[in-house]
Amino acid sequence: MINGGLAENSARSYSSAINNAERFAREHGYADMYFYGNSDVQSVKRMTDQLFRDSEFVDYNNEQHNRLSAAFKKYIDYLNGVVPFDGKSAIHKHMRQNCTLPSDVQDILVDVVTEGFSNGVRLESVIDRKKIARLYKERTGKDAPKDEDIESCLIEHGITFSGKLYLIGASTRQVILEQLEIEKNKGHRVFYYEELYSASADYYTSKMIYSADALKRIIEESGAQLFYHKSYCTTTKDVSVEDELIRSFGEKVQLTVEEIKKKLPYISTSKIASSLSQSKRFVRARRRIRSS
């Protein structure tokens, strides 16, 4: 892309736009839609066409001054071999973010960024990049690695959220995945991010994960085999809150909302109540809900 006359800042902007499009897709029920790493140009075209048939996505693209449509055009040109890429291309880098720095250098970078950017680092900020270089030199007496190597290293060790990168240790991410797996094995199939976060808020806060949205991003980027929606994720594509309500009753005929909530800890009480009132499979008998 740079060889085709596009500046690196523009390449970064297009890479960010495609990332935003993927996030929109996940949040609006297009669980199987992905672009990075997908080299099938016809598949990319089909998914792009599908997004642009969504009026909300069209509005989103308009709000972004057509940045998303421009990014997809460049990406499809790349897949077709029309636009050449070199090693500095932001989109190309996004597709192969493996860090090649020695492990001791990675450890130092992670340490200085963790200590110097407790509220996250903006990788596209010249000020933040200069601060990283300064902190690295203060710590080691040596010049910092190249910007692109630093970026690859930090992306490998962190998550991006609201325009910033936060360093979340591999062990922390593993704990989150293992806990999700434990809950899945218990039979839970619907996980609202707010409820997941509330269940272990003290732990997340201690690991610099300060919101349900940040936890959501960690889970999405972890590669967990889940189906992602705007405010929740599910273990299968078609499972619904009503399905979980039916499961919660088991052999029982009547339960209170509070009893259902104990059986479905990752669905909010308000969502349980609204789903019960909307479903024809349940009737209210005073304070108790009867499964019909």
Side-chain angles (χ1 to χ4, degrees):
M1 186 175 287
I2 293 174
N3 288 342
L6 190 65
E8 184 166 4
N9 284 344
S10 297
R12 289 183 184 281
S13 175
Y14 286 145
S15 178
S16 173
I18 292 176
N19 189 49
N20 289 341
E22 282 193 340
R23 184 160 61 250
F24 177 97
R26 287 194 298 268
E27 292 176 352
H28 289 77
Y30 302 106
D32 298 327
M33 190 174 289
Y34 71 98
F35 297 98
Y36 283 122
N38 185 351
S39 59
D40 183 346
V41 66
Q42 295 304 319
S43 170
V44 171
K45 285 181 176 180
R46 281 197 303 273
M47 292 187 295
T48 302
D49 290 343
Q50 186 178 359
L51 280 178
F52 278 97
R53 287 195 296 269
D54 187 317
S55 59
E56 288 188 52
F57 187 79
V58 172
D59 290 342
Y60 182 36
N61 181 55
N62 291 336
E63 291 169 4
Q64 296 285 314
H65 306 290
N66 297 314
R67 191 166 68 99
L68 302 172
S69 54
F72 279 123
K73 182 180 184 304
K74 288 293 182 183
Y75 190 52
I76 290 170
D77 283 347
Y78 161 61
L79 294 177
N80 279 324
V82 176
V83 178
F85 278 67
D86 67 15
K88 294 180 180 178
S89 167
I91 292 180
H92 188 59
K93 279 194 304 180
H94 191 110
M95 294 172 64
R96 51 170 183 78
Q97 277 294 353
N98 292 333
C99 178
T100 58
L101 293 173
S103 58
D104 58 333
V105 174
Q106 292 188 48
D107 290 343
I108 294 170
L109 282 170
V110 169
D111 285 346
V112 299
V113 172
T114 300
E115 294 170 8
F117 297 87
S118 59
N119 292 317
V121 57
R122 296 187 185 276
L123 293 177
E124 297 185 10
S125 165
V126 174
I127 294 174
D128 284 5
R129 285 173 179 262
K130 287 183 176 179
K131 182 177 178 181
I132 293 172
R134 176 175 59 79
L135 292 174
Y136 184 90
K137 190 159 189 176
E138 289 176 358
R139 174 73 67 89
T140 66
K142 301 177 182 178
D143 289 337
K146 296 177 181 178
D147 283 350
E148 54 264 34
D149 291 333
I150 292 175
E151 181 176 341
S152 295
C153 172
L154 296 181
I155 288 175
E156 191 168 293
H157 289 274
I159 63 157
T160 53
F161 175 68
S162 296
K164 289 185 176 182
L165 182 138
Y166 297 84
L167 291 175
I168 308 298
S171 59
T172 300
R173 283 186 271 188
Q174 186 62 31
V175 167
I176 292 171
L177 287 179
E178 288 176 354
Q179 188 58 43
L180 268 174
E181 199 61 32
I182 288 171
E183 299 307 320
K184 285 166 60 179
N185 289 338
K186 290 179 181 178
H188 299 303
R189 298 177 292 175
V190 177
F191 300 91
Y192 277 79
Y193 298 113
E194 288 287 354
E195 302 304 305
L196 276 172
Y197 187 84
S198 296
S200 304
D202 289 343
Y203 173 79
Y204 294 133
T205 301
S206 73
K207 300 299 182 181
M208 298 176 61
I209 304 170
Y210 297 117
S211 70
D213 284 338
L215 176 61
K216 169 187 174 182
R217 192 59 184 270
I218 293 170
I219 293 171
E220 286 179 346
E221 294 191 356
S222 69
Q225 297 301 303
L226 297 166
F227 292 83
Y228 297 101
H229 305 269
K230 186 173 183 179
S231 57
Y232 65 98
C233 56
T234 61
T235 57
T236 59
K237 186 175 183 178
D238 300 323
V239 68
S240 66
V241 172
E242 185 179 62
D243 294 331
E244 284 294 83
L245 291 171
I246 293 169
R247 182 178 67 84
S248 72
F249 273 82
E251 299 299 319
K252 292 183 178 295
V253 176
Q254 293 186 21
L255 289 173
T256 64
V257 171
E258 292 76 16
E259 289 169 337
I260 295 172
K261 172 61 178 172
K262 288 181 180 179
K263 292 174 177 288
L264 304 176
Y266 303 112
I267 302 175
S268 67
T269 301
S270 61
K271 185 63 180 177
I272 289 171
S274 65
S275 297
L276 287 169
S277 65
Q278 293 168 13
S279 174
K280 296 180 180 179
R281 303 195 60 159
F282 304 96
V283 293
R284 183 176 291 276
R286 296 185 180 180
R287 292 185 66 254
R288 302 185 74 81
I289 307 298
R290 181 187 295 272
S291 176
S292 59

